[in-house]
């Protein structure tokens, strides 16, 4: 079973600052990694796929990097609407998700 | 515009059954494999099941195998999840999700569109 581990569990950031979120896979997933954003009461929204490709309509302040087992999602300058929970998902094998990182206002 | 609208969630006693539906629009439903993902209250996301575009191939997570059945009716643009022998640990919001690739096979993929979800509650 492919286990995805996200860190930190909670990230406190001031608006306008950079946020860096990590995701680690228990085995290599190549670049088959997606990131989602979920705000309270809403369904997840696709941000990034292929580890680094932004989905349609996603602002350029969101960027993804990494391959193999180590991945990073960076939000360059946090806006008020970016405070949310972020999940990584591998699709190199049957999909599995990380436990999420909550980005909260500092 | 792609729309996925789930329905059928309810309170059901342990051991009971329930059928979820997902009505799809805004894309050629019969061309896409479809999936179910669930989220327990306050918890993370769990992949549940997949079905290929013509309904001939399915996949289930171990946690639901033998209890849940995924199906689809392409003439009605509708995806289903028949759930039986429900347990308290099945309590979750169930999301109908679409993958971006148009294919008759089911392969691991990411998900570009999600429904708003439907809540299934199985009390302990």
């Amino acid at each position: 079973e492919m286990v995805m581990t996200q860190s930190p569990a909670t990230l406190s950031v001031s608006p306008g600052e950079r946020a860096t979120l990590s995701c680690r896979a228990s085995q290599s997933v190549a670049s088959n990694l997606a990131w989602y954003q979920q705000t309270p009461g809403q369904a997840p929204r696709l941000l990034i796929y292929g580890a680094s490709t932004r989905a349609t309509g996603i602002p350029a302040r969101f960027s993804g990097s990494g391959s193999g087992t180590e991945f990073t999602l960076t939000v360059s300058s946090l806006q008020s609407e970016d405070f949310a929970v972020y999940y990584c998902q591998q699709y190199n094998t049957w999909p599995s998700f990380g436990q999420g990182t909550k980005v909260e206002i500092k | 515009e792609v729309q996925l609208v789930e329905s059928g969630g309810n309170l059901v006693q342990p051991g009971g059954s329930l059928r979820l539906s997902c009505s799809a629009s805004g894309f050629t439903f019969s061309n896409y494999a479809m999936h179910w993902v669930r989220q327990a209250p306050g918890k993370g996301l769990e992949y549940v099941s997949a079905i290929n575009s013509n309904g001939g191939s399915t996949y289930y997570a171990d946690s639901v195998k033998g209890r849940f059945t995924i199906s689809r009716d392409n003439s009605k643009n509708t995806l289903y999840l028949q759930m039986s022998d429900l347990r308290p640990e099945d309590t979750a919001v169930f999301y109908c999700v679409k993958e971006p690739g148009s294919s008759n096979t089911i392969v691991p993929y990411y998900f570009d569109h999600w429904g708003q979800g439907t809540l299934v509650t199985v009390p302990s």
Side-chain angles (χ1 to χ4, degrees):
Chain A
E1 178 192 353
M2 186 74 70
V3 176
M4 307 302 291
T5 303
Q6 292 185 241
S7 62
T10 303
L11 186 62
S12 298
V13 186
S14 300
E17 290 189 340
R18 174 188 297 257
T20 302
L21 291 67
S22 296
C23 176
R24 173 177 293 178
S26 59
Q27 306 168 46
S28 175
V29 299
S31 293
N32 297 313
L33 193 285
W35 290 94
Y36 301 88
Q37 176 194 66
Q38 187 177 35
T39 53
Q42 300 298 311
R45 176 177 69 145
L46 177 67
L47 297 175
I48 300 283
Y49 62 92
S52 61
T53 302
R54 278 189 301 278
T56 301
I58 301 303
R61 65 180 181 273
F62 291 92
S63 63
S65 64
S67 66
T69 62
E70 301 283 344
F71 300 88
T72 300
L73 175 70
T74 300
V75 188
S76 60
S77 176
L78 275 162
Q79 306 299 302
S80 57
E81 61 267 29
D82 300 335
F83 291 94
V85 179
Y86 292 83
Y87 294 96
C88 62
Q89 176 228 325
Q90 67 80 22
Y91 51 99
N92 196 58
T93 61
W94 290 108
S96 56
F97 295 86
Q99 80 280 17
T101 291
K102 180 180 180 180
V103 177
E104 65 177 22
I105 299 175
K106 186 174 182 180
Chain B
E1 177 194 4
V2 171
Q3 286 202 320
L4 300 168
V5 180
E6 303 93 336
S7 60
N10 211 333
L11 173 68
V12 58
Q13 293 302 309
S17 298
L18 201 61
R19 189 178 82 158
L20 306 182
S21 299
C22 170
S23 178
S25 61
F27 65 105
T28 306
F29 180 72
S30 59
N31 284 354
Y32 291 84
M34 295 293 294
H35 309 256
W36 290 96
V37 173
R38 69 182 178 182
Q39 185 171 35
K43 302 298 184 183
L45 301 165
E46 180 187 14
Y47 185 72
V48 174
S49 184
I51 188 167
N52 75 331
S53 58
N54 68 12
S57 182
T58 58
Y59 170 85
Y60 300 95
D62 287 344
S63 57
V64 306
K65 197 174 297 182
R67 301 187 299 122
F68 289 12
T69 301
I70 190 172
S71 63
R72 64 192 296 161
D73 185 337
N74 286 345
S75 69
K76 296 181 178 179
N77 288 347
T78 302
L79 175 71
Y80 302 102
L81 187 68
Q82 178 69 47
M83 305 183 293
S84 62
D85 188 23
L86 283 161
R87 306 165 181 171
E89 56 265 35
D90 294 318
T91 294
V93 173
F94 282 73
Y95 294 102
C96 166
V97 298
K98 172 189 168 292
E99 65 176 54
S102 174
S103 169
N104 191 39
T105 60
I106 43 171
V107 295
Y109 229 134
Y110 58 93
F111 310 116
D112 59 351
H113 290 91
W114 297 61
Q116 87 288 350
T118 188
L119 177 63
V120 173
T121 303
V122 187
S124 54

